[in-house]
């Protein structure tokens, strides 16, 4: 065993000395290789964490949201719908929701106005999201006025700012009392924006949705699992776009690596010829080259992955954030909770390390089985 | 005595492997550390019945993509060009890239 280890160590010594002779070329290759792993790992880590975050948060969103459609557009829920839904078996809780959008010309941004039923907001006051507070310079106790779509001016006192930790879902929220909401948007009495439902048995959600659609043909039930899939597909799509943009760089590297690994230079061929002439076996030459490929690709993978992790989770992914997260005037500031998918890392390892090792192996085997005399003369 | 190149290589690779393992430990630590904030976000979503992330606030169909009209990309008028960068980065309608089951058809709701 010791003799085997010693032999491998000698092979590695020789490989490193051989790499050092072509230092600039090999360091350049290592740098480009590391950068490629860094970019791919950054995109994979970032989108996976964002997908997980969305799934974790939205798994507590309403089980079914029921919208009413008029001429293909989302319309208000008229009085009577809540009672009709209440008669459907399996429905546990029903809540008419009040929410809408308001365009604030001061900061040229859209807010989401909402009258929560679970949280009591005093009439004449607002609880604002952190990004709204930041963009309008608001603090509890300040007064702010909005011109309603009817043209009337409404003044409110800021009662509180939602916590920064919740910014990912609450950046643009403006919470107000039901009376204020109805007065501000001139909502007719008894009307709601949509209806949130919870179902007693989670296995019956689809059945209840089908019953809802049958009982109220002008309604559109949106299930929680559809919401979760929407976000999974948004981030999958964005990851795909970034990878498509990077594909040119990936192909360029593939060509460079293939060229470097598969096309042996005359110097390398001569080296192999000399090694064989002085008694090296074909197996030794292949082992030496395998070590070369292994050392380069493993170093590139490990360093690239570590750099990607630090970039994404310790520095907030400044390189890919704009494309992967999107943008808006009111942008939430949040720190992603790291989530590393072992399978994703293993896939990255497989597709970055193994192709290079394979590219190294084929030509070296071809060169190693040729006659040393012919190899040295060529 | 000068160390052998292979010893240096093993030390360097060992350090890199330790760094690699440390990323998983760091992720676990950050996850523990951020668990309270994540729970807070989830609790707010549950309390207010929120359905979407506040990532793209420029239009209603980007602020609440899960609640938007089914064909909202060209909603202003037929063949209207998309105004917002987010819109151009959102995936096309499911009918064009049908990866998932058509739940809306199953629930027999009007589109």
């Amino acid at each position: 065993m010791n003799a085997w280890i010693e032999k491998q160590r000698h092979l590695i010594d020789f490989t490193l000395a051989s790499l050092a002779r072509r230092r600039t070329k090999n360091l350049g290759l290592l740098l480009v290789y590391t950068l490629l792993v860094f970019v791919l790992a950054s995109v994979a880590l970032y989108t996976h964490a964002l997908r997980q975050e969305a799934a974790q948060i939205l798994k507590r969103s309403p089980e079914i949201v029921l919208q009413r459609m008029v001429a293909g557009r989302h319309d208000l829920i008229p009085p009577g719908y809540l009672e009709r839904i209440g008669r459907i078996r399996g429905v546990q809780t029903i809540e008419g929701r009040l929410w809408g959008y308001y365009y604030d010309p001061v900061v040229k941004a859209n807010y989401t106005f909402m009258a929560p039923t679970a949280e009591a907001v005093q009439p004449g006051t607002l609880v604002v999201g952190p990004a709204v507070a930041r963009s309008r310079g608001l603090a509890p106790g300040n007064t702010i006025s909005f011109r309603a779509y009817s043209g009337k001016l409404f003044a409110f006192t800021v009662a509180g700012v939602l916590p920064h930790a919740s910014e990912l879902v609450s950046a643009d929220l403006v919470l107000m009392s039901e009376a204020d909401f109805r007065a501000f948007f001139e909502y007719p009495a008894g009307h709601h924006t949509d209806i949130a439902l919870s179902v007693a048995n989670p296995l019956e959600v689809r059945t209840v949705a089908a019953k809802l659609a049958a009982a109220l043909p002008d309604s559109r039930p949106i299930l929680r699992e559809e919401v979760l899939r929407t976000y999974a597909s948004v981030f999958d799509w964005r990851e795909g776009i970034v990878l498509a943009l990077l594909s040119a760089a990936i192909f360029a590297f593939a060509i460079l690596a293939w060229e470097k690994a598969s096309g042996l230079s005359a110097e390398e061929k001569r080296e192999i010829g000399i090694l064989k002439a002085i008694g090296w076996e074909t197996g030794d030459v292949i082992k030496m080259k395998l070590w070369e490929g292994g050392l380069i690709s493993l170093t590139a993978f490990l360093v690239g992955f570590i750099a990607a992790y630090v970039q994404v989770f310790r520095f907030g992914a400044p390189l890919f954030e704009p494309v992967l997260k999107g943008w808006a005037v009111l942008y939430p500031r949040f720190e992603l909770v790291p989530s590393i998918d072992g399978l994703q890392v293993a896939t990255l390892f497989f597709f970055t390390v193994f192709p290079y090792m394979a590219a190294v192996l084929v030509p070296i085997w071809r060169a190693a089985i040729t006659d040393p005399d012919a190899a040295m003369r060529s | 005595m000068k160390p052998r190149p292979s010893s240096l290589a093993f030390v360097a690779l060992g350090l890199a492997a330790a760094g690699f393992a440390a990323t998983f430990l760091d992720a676990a630590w950050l996850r523990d550390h951020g668990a309270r904030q994540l729970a807070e976000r989830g609790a707010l979503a549950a309390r207010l019945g929120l359905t979407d992330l506040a990532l793209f606030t420029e239009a209603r169909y980007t602020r609440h993509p899960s609640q938007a009209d089914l064909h909202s990309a060209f909603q202003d008028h037929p063949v209207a060009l998309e105004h917002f960068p987010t819109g151009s980065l959102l995936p096309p309608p499911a009918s064009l890239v049908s990866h998932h089951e058509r739940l809306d058809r199953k629930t027999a709701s009007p589109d």
Side-chain angles (χ1 to χ4, degrees), chain A residues 175-187:
Chain A
L175 305 181
M176 51 177 33
S177 71
E178 183 178 338
D180 285 342
F181 184 90
R182 288 190 183 278
F184 189 81
F185 289 111
E186 297 193 337
Y187 252 45

Side-chain angles (χ1 to χ4, degrees), chain B residues 3-82:
Chain B
R4 285 171 65 173
S6 58
S7 307
L8 292 176
F10 279 128
V11 169
L13 268 182
L15 284 176
F20 178 71
T23 59
F24 285 83
L25 292 177
D26 185 62
W29 185 80
L30 282 176
R31 249 196 321 274
D32 278 354
H33 197 65
R36 194 185 56 81
Q37 294 195 336
L38 188 64
E40 213 171 297
R41 284 195 276 275
L44 188 80
R47 210 163 61 240
L48 300 178
L50 303 177
T51 51
D52 289 82
L53 304 185
L55 283 174
F56 335 112
T57 55
E58 64 259 37
R60 62 182 185 275
Y61 55 92
T62 57
R63 171 63 179 90
H64 293 97
S66 74
Q67 309 293 304
D69 301 348
L70 289 175
H71 301 285
S72 43
F74 304 105
Q75 62 176 332
D76 290 331
H77 55 84
V79 296
L81 290 174
E82 179 54 48

Side-chain angles (χ1 to χ4, degrees), chain A residues 110-113 129-132 167 169-174 330, chain B residues 54 57 63:
Chain A
N110 282 302
Y111 301 149
T112 302
F113 276 33
V132 177
E167 194 158 340
V169 282
S170 68
D172 67 335
L173 283 188
V174 175
L330 290 182
Chain B
T57 55
R63 171 63 179 90

